Amino acid sequence: QIILFAFVLVAGVVGIVFLVLSLITWGQWISLERNGVITEGEITDQLTTENSFYVTVTFTPEGSDTPQEVTQIVDGLRFRQSPVGQPINMLYLPSAPTVAVIADTSTAPIRDSVIAVFWNLAFIPFAVWAIRRALAAWQFARHGERVLGEVVTAKPRDDEGILKVDVRYHFTPS
C-alpha cells in the first residue's frame, strides 16, 4: 500500500508540475505576442544532443547595456541555417528580457499543454482508485477482518428527505 501511495504521490506531483509549467509557458507566449519587441542578436553557440538541436543567441535589449543570452531548441533545418556569428532577430519582453525567442519561431505551446492535460486526465481516475483502495485497506485494518456472508434483508427508508437503506447481514465469524 505504501508503494502505491508513493507512486500516486509522485505521479500527482509530476502532473501538477506539467500543468504549472504549461501555464507559465502560455503566459510567456501571450506576453511575447502582445508586448514583445524585436531586436537583432547574434548566434554565439550551437549544441546538438542525440535528438535535439540548440542555438544560443546573445542580444542587448533596447535601452540596456547588459547583453542577454538565450538558448533555444530549434529544428534541424534552422540549426543548419544558423552558424555561429550569424545575426538573427529576437523577440523579447522589455519588462523581462530573459523571456525571449528567435523572432519567427514563437508558436503557441500547444504540445506542452497537450502533454499536461493528457497526463492529468490519465492520472486522476487512477489516483481516485488508489486513494479509495488505500482508505478501504486502512479502515479495514483498524476495524476488523473480512468475513463472507449474505444480505438477509434490505429495506429503504426516508429519513427527512434522505434515502437510507437498512441492511441485515448474516455471517459466521471465523
Side-chain angles (χ1 to χ4, degrees):
Q1 295 295 336
I2 292 174
I3 293 172
L4 182 62
F5 179 74
F7 175 76
V8 168
L9 184 64
V10 169
V13 169
V14 168
I16 290 169
V17 168
F18 277 164
L19 200 56
V20 168
L21 289 176
S22 178
L23 291 173
I24 289 170
T25 304
W26 269 102
Q28 289 177 345
W29 180 77
I30 290 169
S31 293
L32 280 169
E33 289 295 310
R34 290 182 181 165
N35 307 315
V37 173
I38 294 179
T39 192
E40 188 174 284
E42 180 180 321
I43 296 175
T44 54
D45 195 15
Q46 291 182 314
L47 172 71
T48 59
T49 62
E50 189 174 312
N51 298 320
S52 301
F53 302 97
Y54 298 89
V55 293
T56 299
V57 179
T58 302
F59 67 97
T60 303
E62 292 178 22
S64 173
D65 295 330
T66 308
Q68 299 293 321
E69 186 175 88
V70 174
T71 300
Q72 180 177 332
I73 192 167
V74 294
D75 61 39
L77 179 62
R78 165 69 70 167
F79 184 82
R80 287 187 295 280
Q81 294 175 345
S82 304
V84 172
Q86 177 177 323
I88 193 163
N89 285 334
M90 293 297 292
L91 178 65
Y92 73 95
L93 284 179
S95 60
T98 57
V99 177
V101 294
I102 296 171
D104 60 349
T105 62
S106 177
T107 58
I110 294 171
R111 182 193 56 157
D112 297 344
S113 301
V114 168
I115 291 170
V117 167
F118 279 116
W119 179 276
N120 285 293
L121 286 176
F123 166 73
I124 289 171
F126 176 73
V128 169
W129 171 81
I131 290 168
R132 289 183 67 184
R133 182 174 171 178
L135 286 174
W138 177 74
Q139 288 177 336
F140 176 71
R142 288 192 63 205
H143 300 294
E145 62 183 85
R146 190 172 293 175
V147 178
L148 292 176
E150 64 182 347
V151 173
V152 177
T153 61
K155 296 180 184 176
R157 65 180 166 91
D158 186 3
D159 186 15
E160 298 178 16
I162 299 173
L163 179 63
K164 295 185 178 182
V165 179
D166 292 323
V167 178
R168 291 191 62 208
Y169 187 77
H170 177 71
F171 64 95
T172 305
S174 54

